Amino acid sequence: MGPGVLLPFNLRKHVQPQIEERAFIFPDLKLSTTNAENPGHKKYRQLKRDCFLDINYVSTKYAEIYQYVGDEIVLAWLVNERMNMAACFDFDFDCQTVFRNRESYYQNNYGLLQGIKQFSIVE
């Protein structure tokens, strides 16, 4: 369970569902098919895990992870009067920064010459 899930679950909020207005973004890893073919399936799973961990680290400031779909993460947050739509852009910028800072890690572990360019977020 991700952040923000355990407490509502223990309080049994899921027993009486409520309609909520939520905003979603769908970050996706670029060139994932190419990257899956090059290093092999085991190395690709490790690569995807590392990318998702980096994205998860950033997402805790902005939204909750709704689900994972292949090489995509679905993020959601409640829409309310205080919601800042710029959070989508801030999230993307922060992800880019994390990937840029870890580009040498991806190069050393997965042999990617253009790590940040290949793993940037598509919305």
Side-chain angles (χ1 to χ4, degrees), residues 1 18 21 30 33 40 51 54 73-74 90 92 113-114:
M1 287 189 223
Q18 296 177 351
E21 187 175 354
K30 283 186 179 178
T33 303
C51 289
D54 286 341
I73 300 176
V74 180
D90 292 340
D92 185 57
L113 297 174
Q114 300 175 1

Side-chain angles (χ1 to χ4, degrees), residues 32-54:
S32 62
T33 303
T34 304
N35 292 322
E37 292 169 354
N38 291 337
H41 74 282
K42 187 173 183 180
K43 196 78 163 172
Y44 173 68
R45 281 198 332 258
Q46 294 169 339
L47 169 65
K48 192 167 80 167
R49 180 204 60 215
D50 285 344
C51 289
F52 280 2
L53 287 172
D54 286 341

Side-chain angles (χ1 to χ4, degrees), residues 37-107:
E37 292 169 354
N38 291 337
H41 74 282
K42 187 173 183 180
K43 196 78 163 172
Y44 173 68
R45 281 198 332 258
Q46 294 169 339
L47 169 65
K48 192 167 80 167
R49 180 204 60 215
D50 285 344
C51 289
F52 280 2
L53 287 172
D54 286 341
I55 294 170
N56 290 351
Y57 171 75
V58 174
S59 72
T60 59
K61 292 189 335 187
Y62 298 101
E64 68 182 59
I65 295 173
Y66 181 73
Q67 67 184 9
Y68 298 92
V69 182
D71 64 350
E72 172 183 277
I73 300 176
V74 180
L75 296 162
W77 62 92
L78 288 172
V79 175
N80 60 36
E81 63 279 350
R82 296 184 306 124
M83 183 184 151
N84 180 0
M85 291 305 290
C88 291
F89 297 107
D90 292 340
F91 168 77
D92 185 57
F93 178 78
D94 284 358
C95 282
Q96 295 298 330
T97 301
V98 167
F99 281 121
R100 197 170 18 263
N101 291 340
R102 291 180 40 90
E103 190 166 7
S104 63
Y105 170 82
Y106 286 103
Q107 169 64 38

Side-chain angles (χ1 to χ4, degrees), residues 16-28:
Q16 296 179 332
Q18 296 177 351
I19 296 174
E20 299 175 333
E21 187 175 354
R22 291 186 171 260
F24 292 88
I25 58 173
F26 308 90
D28 188 59

Side-chain angles (χ1 to χ4, degrees), residues 9-23:
F9 184 78
N10 285 338
L11 295 174
R12 302 180 54 79
K13 291 194 177 219
H14 66 285
V15 174
Q16 296 179 332
Q18 296 177 351
I19 296 174
E20 299 175 333
E21 187 175 354
R22 291 186 171 260

